[in-house]
Amino acid sequence: MKYLILGAGPAGLTVANRFMQKGIMDFIILEKESEAGGLCRSKIVDGSPFDVGGGHFLDVRRPKVNEFLFGFMPEEEWDKYDRDSRIMVNENEINHPIEANIWQMNVEDQVEYLKSIAIAGCNLGTEMPEEFVDWIYWKLGSKVAEDYMIPYNQKMFSKDLNQLGTYWLDKLPNVSFEETILACLTKKAYGKQPGHAQFYYPKNHGYGELWIRMANAIEDNIEYNKDINGIDFTSKTVTTTDGSKYQADCIITTIPWMEFEDIIGMPDEVRNSIKELKYSSIQTEYYAENLDTEAQWIYYPDLKLSYHRILVRHNFCPNSKGYWTETNIERIHMDKPNDNYKYMNQYAYPLNTRTKPVIMLELLNWSREQGVYGLGRWGEHQHYNSDVTVELAMKMADELETIY
């Protein structure tokens, strides 16, 4: 075939459907699972949708992406929400982000946070450190670091935070002492709004319904239950665990690079570097109780709790009840056994380790020269949300049409 696409998640489905819209049908998608959607799949649990990959929503900020996706699931089938996400810190439930909403804490805590922010390294003009933990203290002050950022990142990503780089933290806003004081005095948030300030969620389905419809649009070009075993760059051939072989002019991989057990034709130094890529595994778990909150999701940095956040289903999924938790695989041993519905996502979040940028730059550039393109959260090993992934996939389809 002309195009072989590995993985029927948002990235693979978008590339394929973009091809179809251009009249290009010479492609096949291989999908390991029995259904499409990847991390954005949904199951019906206790009578309502449960998004097994955790909290996935459609951001409103990319009109071209939404226009494309509404072609499969029209806009009238979605509700639009103003984001209400909160943090439970020191028994204060405050809005996210923490630096803009310290004014919602009790007065004693506000004073302690203001004192620590005033002497944060970035506000004193001290040299920016290179270690992750030191950087958090320097950027946010000791109280935000110790009460929220350090424990939360340990719970979500890894106990060893200094294996992470700081290059991905530039998006964190400066915690301005002046703005924080103004917020506390005027009792309103200052600073930049977080991502997903507004988002869409389906009225009558889980988020996974969107990707099922995209898969149905190209159903004759998808093969399910195809577990990838190896890739041969010299012949541009992919093999599956059932012994099938697929050859293409161009291969687009959206699956984790660690999933290739056999790699032929790749230089040893590039192949060996794949082993250095890290990721976290997350279990989602459903609880039937309704919570007395209007928040759609809540972050929990408390190390005594196994989970790092909850998604309050009844506040964004109409006519539903309950909530679900997200827990790193390293911490599920803390929970007592129960009969709740659970789903383990082996590949949940790529870790932004120190060496990752160099590894991925060399890996993607070399592979691209061979006609193999990495795309999306796992093909590029980047913590992309689905809307970003769709935007990148649309651009890739447009680019590849001019090459092949």
Side-chain angles (χ1 to χ4, degrees):
M1 68 222 62
K2 181 176 285 188
Y3 300 105
L4 177 61
I5 303 166
L6 308 182
L13 291 171
T14 298
V15 167
N17 277 284
R18 189 75 163 176
F19 282 154
M20 180 187 67
Q21 292 176 351
K22 295 171 177 292
I24 301 170
M25 296 303 295
D26 191 7
F27 65 83
I28 287 177
I29 299 180
L30 302 182
E31 169 54 44
K32 179 179 181 178
E33 305 293 339
S34 58
E35 61 180 348
L39 273 173
C40 293
R41 284 175 294 147
S42 301
K43 305 284 187 184
I44 297 299
V45 177
D46 200 11
S48 298
F50 173 91
D51 297 336
V52 297
H56 292 279
F57 306 90
L58 179 57
D59 203 313
V60 305
R61 292 177 297 177
R62 292 177 170 79
K64 290 184 178 180
V65 167
N66 295 340
E67 180 183 357
F68 173 77
L69 296 177
F70 290 156
F72 302 92
M73 192 171 182
E75 186 173 4
E76 56 266 25
E77 293 192 46
W78 301 77
D79 284 321
K80 183 190 283 188
Y81 294 93
D82 291 326
R83 168 177 170 156
D84 186 342
S85 58
R86 305 183 190 180
I87 305 165
M88 184 64 74
V89 55
N90 291 343
E91 299 183 359
N92 297 287
E93 183 176 305
I94 70 169
N95 287 98
H96 179 272
I98 188 171
E99 67 277 357
N101 294 290
I102 289 168
W103 62 274
Q104 295 176 352
M105 297 181 177
N106 64 60
V107 173
E108 292 79 10
D109 283 341
Q110 290 181 43
V111 171
E112 293 303 312
Y113 274 81
L114 285 167
K115 285 163 57 179
S116 72
I117 291 168
I119 58 173
C122 67
N123 288 326
L124 295 179
T126 61
E127 185 178 356
M128 183 173 67
E130 296 183 2
E131 294 279 342
F132 181 94
V133 172
D134 292 340
W135 191 97
I136 294 294
Y137 277 87
W138 174 86
K139 181 80 168 182
L140 304 174
S142 61
K143 285 293 288 180
V144 176
E146 293 169 5
D147 290 353
Y148 177 52
M149 283 294 291
I150 299 300
Y152 187 81
N153 279 280
Q154 285 177 331
K155 292 174 73 173
M156 185 174 179
F157 294 126
S158 170
K159 289 181 288 188
D160 179 16
L161 290 180
N162 279 333
Q163 70 174 310
L164 304 179
T166 59
Y167 54 86
W168 59 286
L169 297 171
D170 290 339
K171 64 181 181 181
L172 286 179
N174 288 322
V175 181
S176 161
F177 181 61
E178 291 79 8
E179 285 189 347
T180 309
I181 284 182
L182 281 171
C184 292
L185 291 173
T186 60
K187 299 189 184 307
K188 66 178 184 179
Y190 276 76
K192 187 179 178 182
Q193 283 285 333
H196 292 309
Q198 287 188 315
F199 65 90
Y200 291 102
Y201 195 83
K203 293 180 178 179
N204 300 311
H205 305 279
Y207 195 44
E209 175 70 13
L210 168 64
W211 316 103
I212 293 296
R213 294 193 190 185
M214 292 179 71
N216 289 341
I218 50 171
E219 59 183 349
D220 293 337
N221 295 69
I222 303 180
E223 295 187 18
Y224 294 99
N225 301 304
K226 290 291 185 178
D227 193 358
I228 306 303
N229 180 64
I231 182 169
D232 186 338
F233 283 88
T234 59
S235 62
K236 280 194 270 193
T237 301
V238 166
T239 57
T240 59
T241 54
D242 64 5
S244 302
K245 292 187 177 183
Y246 300 80
Q247 190 174 38
D249 297 331
C250 171
I251 298 173
I252 303 162
T253 177
T254 74
I255 68 174
W257 286 89
M258 299 76 76
E259 283 287 277
F260 294 109
E261 195 164 314
D262 297 319
I263 300 178
I264 298 173
M266 178 181 282
D268 288 345
E269 63 272 18
V270 179
R271 186 176 67 250
N272 290 334
S273 72
I274 295 174
K275 300 173 185 176
E276 297 181 35
L277 295 174
K278 306 293 183 183
Y279 60 91
S280 64
S281 302
I282 299 297
Q283 177 179 274
T284 52
E285 179 174 355
Y286 171 70
Y287 291 82
E289 307 94 282
N290 280 6
L291 298 181
D292 184 18
T293 179
E294 294 181 358
Q296 292 119 1
W297 62 97
I298 306 175
Y299 303 99
Y300 290 87
D302 186 349
L303 291 172
K304 294 190 295 293
L305 300 173
S306 62
Y307 51 86
H308 55 268
R309 72 169 176 171
I310 65 172
L311 284 296
V312 188
R313 181 167 73 171
H314 57 86
N315 286 339
F316 60 84
C317 183
N319 303 311
S320 68
K321 66 176 184 178
Y323 64 96
W324 65 80
T325 60
E326 289 186 20
T327 307
N328 191 301
I329 192 173
E330 296 177 355
R331 300 178 60 82
I332 58 176
H333 68 276
M334 297 173 62
D335 295 328
K336 295 178 180 179
N338 60 52
D339 295 327
N340 293 346
Y341 178 86
K342 304 175 183 67
Y343 192 91
M344 177 59 70
N345 298 278
Q346 180 183 359
Y347 297 103
Y349 299 111
L351 296 189
N352 290 318
T353 54
R354 293 180 175 213
T355 57
K356 189 199 80 171
V358 172
I359 292 173
M360 292 309 301
L361 180 65
E362 294 179 352
L363 173 60
L364 293 175
N365 284 346
W366 182 86
S367 297
R368 192 181 184 97
E369 291 173 358
Q370 320 308 313
V372 178
Y373 297 76
L375 174 65
R377 176 175 288 202
W378 295 109
E380 299 177 60
H381 210 77
Q382 294 278 8
H383 189 165
Y384 293 140
N385 291 329
S386 58
D387 56 303
V388 176
T389 294
V390 170
E391 183 176 58
L392 292 170
M394 292 170 66
K395 289 179 180 178
M396 179 170 284
D398 295 344
E399 174 191 348
L400 294 178
E401 182 191 23
T402 66
I403 299 175
Y404 294 93

